[in-house]
Amino acid sequence: EDKVVQSPLSLVVHEGDTVTLNCSYEVTNFRSLLWYKQEKKAPTFLFMLTSSGIEKKSGRLSSILDKKELFSILNITATQTGDSAIYLCAVGVLTGANNLFFGTGTRLTVIP
Amino acid sequence: NAGVTQTPKFRVLKTGQSMTLLCAQDMNHEYMYWYRQDPGMGLRLIHYSVGEGTTAKGEVPDGYNVSRLKKQNFLLGLESAAPSQTSVYFCASSYSRTLNTEAFFGQGTRLTVV
């Protein structure tokens, strides 16, 4: 059975801290791994990873994929209160009815 | 640039009532999806469409029907609502199912069935 597991489920940090969010997966016909940020409403796209070992970076956020060990991490440095959100990991597959498998998300709370 | 628009944003239904959720996208995307999001369950795919006039079942299709009469619109119908269908529903669209492109999401519809 295809599955995507995120950890931790929730995290509370102080502004300025660095956090690492984890996503492990077991799927057939892996195509890509995506990270989304969900604040109050729609998930918004952060990164798409398809190759192992190549870091994607956007400002204070970065992510990397390990296709051998089947996991990805999302790092956020110098956290700000605006980073408070649910971070969703999704794995795209090439075949089957469900082409994006989502994890349950990590709820990050950044306190001043 | 509106992106993906869902209507309505909120709705309360009585058990047994029917309703239709509308999703519209203006990005000329071929693929459209309906997800539901429940606490502790993540986003789960209900139905999807790979093009105008086509639909297919996702992970949790029971109790829902869909139609894609126009490329830009994807409708989700509940014929006889049940309390188990209380959820937040998200529509999404993407350019291609097989290419490495991300899905764009609407703002969500919060549905409560009492």
Side-chain angles (χ1 to χ4, degrees):
Chain A
E1 182 182 329
D2 296 327
K3 62 180 180 180
V4 178
V5 178
Q6 292 185 246
S7 63
L9 290 180
S10 65
L11 192 57
V12 180
V13 301
H14 289 94
E15 267 192 321
D17 288 350
T18 294
V19 298
T20 298
L21 310 182
N22 303 292
C23 176
S24 64
Y25 63 92
E26 290 181 32
V27 300
T28 54
N29 296 306
F30 174 89
R31 170 168 60 94
S32 56
L33 187 142
L34 297 87
W35 284 97
Y36 284 86
K37 178 182 182 182
Q38 185 177 24
E39 295 178 82
K40 293 195 183 301
K41 295 182 178 178
T44 53
F45 173 76
L46 294 174
F47 297 112
M48 177 184 290
L49 303 154
T50 57
S51 301
S52 277
I54 299 175
E55 184 182 55
K56 292 261 181 119
K57 196 170 173 66
S58 176
R60 295 176 294 103
L61 278 67
S62 63
S63 183
I64 197 162
L65 172 68
D66 186 328
K67 289 169 74 174
K68 182 179 177 184
E69 299 298 328
L70 308 182
F71 77 92
S72 173
I73 60 172
L74 175 68
N75 281 321
I76 308 175
T77 60
T79 52
Q80 303 171 358
T81 55
D83 294 327
S84 296
I86 297 173
Y87 290 84
L88 298 170
C89 172
V91 174
V93 297
L94 265 175
T95 60
N98 192 345
N99 69 324
L100 269 185
F101 287 93
F102 280 86
T104 55
T106 293
R107 181 180 293 276
L108 174 65
T109 303
V110 182
I111 54 179
Chain B
N1 188 358
V4 180
T5 304
Q6 291 181 231
T7 52
K9 292 184 171 51
F10 304 94
R11 185 72 185 268
V12 178
L13 284 180
K14 292 183 178 179
T15 298
Q17 285 185 319
S18 64
M19 77 164 295
T20 300
L21 282 67
L22 171 64
C23 176
Q25 53 94 4
D26 61 2
M27 296 173 282
N28 201 34
H29 284 169
E30 288 292 333
Y31 297 89
M32 296 187 75
Y33 319 89
W34 276 107
Y35 289 90
R36 60 178 289 174
Q37 188 176 35
D38 303 293
M41 299 293 290
L43 282 154
R44 292 181 293 168
L45 184 67
I46 304 171
H47 286 279
Y48 67 103
S49 168
V50 302
E52 181 179 319
T54 70
T55 62
K57 293 180 180 180
E59 184 184 358
V60 288
D62 294 342
Y64 306 95
N65 57 75
V66 288
S67 64
R68 183 99 180 267
L69 298 180
K70 293 183 179 180
K71 185 178 183 180
Q72 63 268 34
N73 295 335
F74 195 29
L75 279 63
L76 178 71
L78 285 74
E79 290 187 348
S80 179
S84 61
Q85 293 177 305
T86 294
S87 187
V88 180
Y89 292 85
F90 286 99
C91 176
S93 70
S94 66
Y95 175 70
S96 168
R97 180 168 173 263
T98 55
L99 295 177
N100 289 327
T101 60
E102 71 269 27
F104 294 85
F105 284 83
Q107 293 296 303
T109 297
R110 183 174 293 277
L111 175 66
T112 303
V113 183
V114 297

Short mmCIF file of all heavy atoms in Angstrom, two decimals, chain B residues 14-43:
data_model
loop_
_atom_site.label_atom_id
_atom_site.label_comp_id
_atom_site.label_asym_id
_atom_site.label_seq_id
_atom_site.Cartn_x
_atom_site.Cartn_y
_atom_site.Cartn_z
N LYS B 14 -28.23 19.46 5.53
CA LYS B 14 -28.87 18.46 6.37
C LYS B 14 -28.63 17.09 5.72
O LYS B 14 -28.51 16.97 4.49
CB LYS B 14 -30.35 18.73 6.49
CG LYS B 14 -30.68 19.99 7.28
CD LYS B 14 -32.18 20.17 7.43
CE LYS B 14 -32.48 21.42 8.25
NZ LYS B 14 -33.93 21.64 8.39
N THR B 15 -28.60 16.07 6.55
CA THR B 15 -28.44 14.70 6.04
C THR B 15 -29.50 14.40 4.99
O THR B 15 -30.68 14.68 5.20
CB THR B 15 -28.55 13.69 7.19
OG1 THR B 15 -27.48 13.94 8.12
CG2 THR B 15 -28.45 12.28 6.69
N GLY B 16 -29.04 13.88 3.86
CA GLY B 16 -29.96 13.54 2.78
C GLY B 16 -30.08 14.60 1.70
O GLY B 16 -30.56 14.32 0.60
N GLN B 17 -29.65 15.83 2.00
CA GLN B 17 -29.72 16.87 0.99
C GLN B 17 -28.63 16.67 -0.06
O GLN B 17 -27.64 15.96 0.17
CB GLN B 17 -29.56 18.26 1.63
CG GLN B 17 -30.79 18.73 2.38
CD GLN B 17 -30.65 20.15 2.91
OE1 GLN B 17 -29.59 20.54 3.41
NE2 GLN B 17 -31.73 20.92 2.80
N SER B 18 -28.81 17.33 -1.18
CA SER B 18 -27.81 17.25 -2.25
C SER B 18 -27.22 18.62 -2.50
O SER B 18 -27.81 19.65 -2.15
CB SER B 18 -28.45 16.72 -3.53
OG SER B 18 -29.44 17.62 -3.99
N MET B 19 -26.02 18.63 -3.08
CA MET B 19 -25.41 19.89 -3.46
C MET B 19 -24.30 19.63 -4.48
O MET B 19 -23.86 18.48 -4.65
CB MET B 19 -24.84 20.64 -2.27
CG MET B 19 -23.53 20.12 -1.74
SD MET B 19 -22.70 21.32 -0.67
CE MET B 19 -22.33 22.65 -1.80
N THR B 20 -23.91 20.70 -5.14
CA THR B 20 -22.82 20.64 -6.12
C THR B 20 -21.78 21.68 -5.78
O THR B 20 -22.12 22.84 -5.54
CB THR B 20 -23.35 20.88 -7.54
OG1 THR B 20 -24.33 19.89 -7.86
CG2 THR B 20 -22.22 20.81 -8.56
N LEU B 21 -20.54 21.26 -5.76
CA LEU B 21 -19.42 22.17 -5.58
C LEU B 21 -18.82 22.45 -6.97
O LEU B 21 -18.61 21.53 -7.75
CB LEU B 21 -18.34 21.57 -4.68
CG LEU B 21 -18.56 21.58 -3.17
CD1 LEU B 21 -19.71 20.66 -2.78
CD2 LEU B 21 -17.30 21.16 -2.46
N LEU B 22 -18.54 23.72 -7.21
CA LEU B 22 -18.01 24.10 -8.51
C LEU B 22 -16.55 24.48 -8.40
O LEU B 22 -16.17 25.20 -7.48
CB LEU B 22 -18.80 25.27 -9.09
CG LEU B 22 -18.23 25.92 -10.36
CD1 LEU B 22 -18.24 24.91 -11.51
CD2 LEU B 22 -19.00 27.16 -10.72
N CYS B 23 -15.75 24.00 -9.33
CA CYS B 23 -14.36 24.38 -9.42
C CYS B 23 -14.10 24.92 -10.82
O CYS B 23 -14.48 24.28 -11.81
CB CYS B 23 -13.46 23.17 -9.17
SG CYS B 23 -11.70 23.51 -9.36
N ALA B 24 -13.47 26.07 -10.88
CA ALA B 24 -13.13 26.68 -12.17
C ALA B 24 -11.67 27.07 -12.18
O ALA B 24 -11.18 27.64 -11.21
CB ALA B 24 -14.02 27.90 -12.42
N GLN B 25 -10.99 26.76 -13.30
CA GLN B 25 -9.58 27.15 -13.43
C GLN B 25 -9.40 27.88 -14.76
O GLN B 25 -10.00 27.53 -15.76
CB GLN B 25 -8.65 25.94 -13.30
CG GLN B 25 -8.95 24.77 -14.21
CD GLN B 25 -8.19 24.76 -15.52
OE1 GLN B 25 -7.33 25.61 -15.77
NE2 GLN B 25 -8.50 23.78 -16.38
N ASP B 26 -8.51 28.88 -14.71
CA ASP B 26 -8.30 29.70 -15.91
C ASP B 26 -6.89 29.55 -16.45
O ASP B 26 -6.36 30.44 -17.13
CB ASP B 26 -8.61 31.17 -15.61
CG ASP B 26 -7.71 31.75 -14.53
OD1 ASP B 26 -6.82 31.03 -14.03
OD2 ASP B 26 -7.91 32.92 -14.18
N MET B 27 -6.24 28.41 -16.16
CA MET B 27 -4.86 28.19 -16.57
C MET B 27 -4.76 27.22 -17.74
O MET B 27 -3.66 26.80 -18.11
CB MET B 27 -4.05 27.67 -15.38
CG MET B 27 -3.97 28.68 -14.24
SD MET B 27 -3.21 28.03 -12.75
CE MET B 27 -4.56 27.07 -12.08
N ASN B 28 -5.90 26.85 -18.30
CA ASN B 28 -5.94 25.92 -19.43
C ASN B 28 -5.32 24.56 -19.08
O ASN B 28 -4.73 23.89 -19.93
CB ASN B 28 -5.24 26.52 -20.66
CG ASN B 28 -5.70 25.84 -21.95
OD1 ASN B 28 -6.85 25.44 -22.07
ND2 ASN B 28 -4.80 25.71 -22.89
N HIS B 29 -5.48 24.16 -17.82
CA HIS B 29 -4.93 22.88 -17.39
C HIS B 29 -5.80 21.73 -17.86
O HIS B 29 -7.02 21.81 -17.87
CB HIS B 29 -4.83 22.84 -15.86
CG HIS B 29 -3.69 23.63 -15.33
ND1 HIS B 29 -3.54 23.92 -13.99
CD2 HIS B 29 -2.63 24.20 -15.95
CE1 HIS B 29 -2.43 24.62 -13.82
NE2 HIS B 29 -1.87 24.81 -14.99
N GLU B 30 -5.12 20.64 -18.24
CA GLU B 30 -5.85 19.45 -18.67
C GLU B 30 -6.42 18.67 -17.48
O GLU B 30 -7.50 18.11 -17.55
CB GLU B 30 -4.93 18.53 -19.45
CG GLU B 30 -4.55 19.04 -20.83
CD GLU B 30 -5.74 19.05 -21.78
OE1 GLU B 30 -6.68 18.26 -21.60
OE2 GLU B 30 -5.75 19.91 -22.69
N TYR B 31 -5.66 18.61 -16.38
CA TYR B 31 -6.00 17.71 -15.29
C TYR B 31 -6.61 18.47 -14.12
O TYR B 31 -6.12 19.52 -13.72
CB TYR B 31 -4.74 16.97 -14.82
CG TYR B 31 -4.17 16.11 -15.91
CD1 TYR B 31 -3.24 16.62 -16.82
CD2 TYR B 31 -4.61 14.80 -16.07
CE1 TYR B 31 -2.76 15.83 -17.85
CE2 TYR B 31 -4.13 14.02 -17.09
CZ TYR B 31 -3.20 14.54 -17.98
OH TYR B 31 -2.72 13.77 -19.00
N MET B 32 -7.68 17.92 -13.59
CA MET B 32 -8.34 18.52 -12.44
C MET B 32 -8.67 17.44 -11.43
O MET B 32 -8.89 16.27 -11.80
CB MET B 32 -9.59 19.28 -12.86
CG MET B 32 -9.28 20.48 -13.78
SD MET B 32 -10.71 21.50 -14.14
CE MET B 32 -10.90 22.40 -12.59
N TYR B 33 -8.70 17.83 -10.15
CA TYR B 33 -8.84 16.87 -9.07
C TYR B 33 -9.75 17.42 -7.98
O TYR B 33 -9.78 18.63 -7.75
CB TYR B 33 -7.47 16.57 -8.42
CG TYR B 33 -6.32 16.43 -9.39
CD1 TYR B 33 -5.58 17.55 -9.79
CD2 TYR B 33 -5.97 15.19 -9.91
CE1 TYR B 33 -4.53 17.43 -10.68
CE2 TYR B 33 -4.92 15.06 -10.80
CZ TYR B 33 -4.20 16.18 -11.18
OH TYR B 33 -3.15 16.06 -12.06
N TRP B 34 -10.43 16.53 -7.29
CA TRP B 34 -11.13 16.89 -6.07
C TRP B 34 -10.55 16.08 -4.92
O TRP B 34 -10.46 14.85 -5.00
CB TRP B 34 -12.63 16.60 -6.17
CG TRP B 34 -13.40 17.69 -6.82
CD1 TRP B 34 -13.95 17.69 -8.07
CD2 TRP B 34 -13.75 18.95 -6.24
NE1 TRP B 34 -14.59 18.88 -8.31
CE2 TRP B 34 -14.49 19.67 -7.20
CE3 TRP B 34 -13.51 19.55 -5.00
CZ2 TRP B 34 -14.98 20.94 -6.97
CZ3 TRP B 34 -13.99 20.81 -4.76
CH2 TRP B 34 -14.74 21.50 -5.73
N TYR B 35 -10.14 16.78 -3.85
CA TYR B 35 -9.62 16.16 -2.64
C TYR B 35 -10.53 16.53 -1.47
O TYR B 35 -11.18 17.56 -1.46
CB TYR B 35 -8.22 16.68 -2.31
CG TYR B 35 -7.12 16.23 -3.24
CD1 TYR B 35 -6.79 16.98 -4.36
CD2 TYR B 35 -6.38 15.09 -2.97
CE1 TYR B 35 -5.76 16.59 -5.21
CE2 TYR B 35 -5.34 14.69 -3.81
CZ TYR B 35 -5.04 15.45 -4.92
OH TYR B 35 -4.02 15.05 -5.75
N ARG B 36 -10.49 15.70 -0.45
CA ARG B 36 -11.05 16.08 0.83
C ARG B 36 -9.94 16.03 1.87
O ARG B 36 -9.03 15.19 1.79
CB ARG B 36 -12.24 15.21 1.23
CG ARG B 36 -11.97 13.74 1.37
CD ARG B 36 -13.23 12.98 1.82
NE ARG B 36 -13.58 13.27 3.21
CZ ARG B 36 -14.69 12.84 3.82
NH1 ARG B 36 -15.56 12.10 3.15
NH2 ARG B 36 -14.93 13.14 5.08
N GLN B 37 -10.03 16.93 2.83
CA GLN B 37 -9.03 17.00 3.89
C GLN B 37 -9.71 16.87 5.23
O GLN B 37 -10.55 17.69 5.58
CB GLN B 37 -8.24 18.32 3.82
CG GLN B 37 -7.06 18.36 4.78
CD GLN B 37 -6.23 19.62 4.63
OE1 GLN B 37 -6.75 20.69 4.34
NE2 GLN B 37 -4.93 19.50 4.80
N ASP B 38 -9.32 15.86 5.97
CA ASP B 38 -9.87 15.59 7.29
C ASP B 38 -8.74 15.56 8.30
O ASP B 38 -7.62 15.16 7.97
CB ASP B 38 -10.61 14.25 7.30
CG ASP B 38 -11.71 14.20 6.26
OD1 ASP B 38 -12.69 14.94 6.43
OD2 ASP B 38 -11.59 13.45 5.27
N PRO B 39 -9.01 15.94 9.54
CA PRO B 39 -7.96 15.95 10.57
C PRO B 39 -7.31 14.58 10.70
O PRO B 39 -7.99 13.55 10.79
CB PRO B 39 -8.73 16.32 11.84
CG PRO B 39 -9.93 17.06 11.36
CD PRO B 39 -10.31 16.42 10.06
N GLY B 40 -5.98 14.57 10.69
CA GLY B 40 -5.24 13.33 10.86
C GLY B 40 -5.22 12.41 9.66
O GLY B 40 -4.65 11.33 9.71
N MET B 41 -5.87 12.85 8.54
CA MET B 41 -5.96 11.96 7.37
C MET B 41 -5.21 12.52 6.17
O MET B 41 -5.04 11.83 5.19
CB MET B 41 -7.44 11.78 6.98
CG MET B 41 -8.28 11.14 8.05
SD MET B 41 -7.82 9.44 8.35
CE MET B 41 -8.37 8.65 6.87
N GLY B 42 -4.81 13.74 6.21
CA GLY B 42 -4.17 14.31 5.03
C GLY B 42 -5.19 14.56 3.94
O GLY B 42 -6.40 14.45 4.13
N LEU B 43 -4.72 14.88 2.76
CA LEU B 43 -5.56 15.10 1.60
C LEU B 43 -5.76 13.78 0.88
O LEU B 43 -4.80 13.07 0.56
CB LEU B 43 -4.90 16.10 0.65
CG LEU B 43 -5.01 17.57 1.04
CD1 LEU B 43 -3.86 18.36 0.47
CD2 LEU B 43 -6.33 18.13 0.53
#
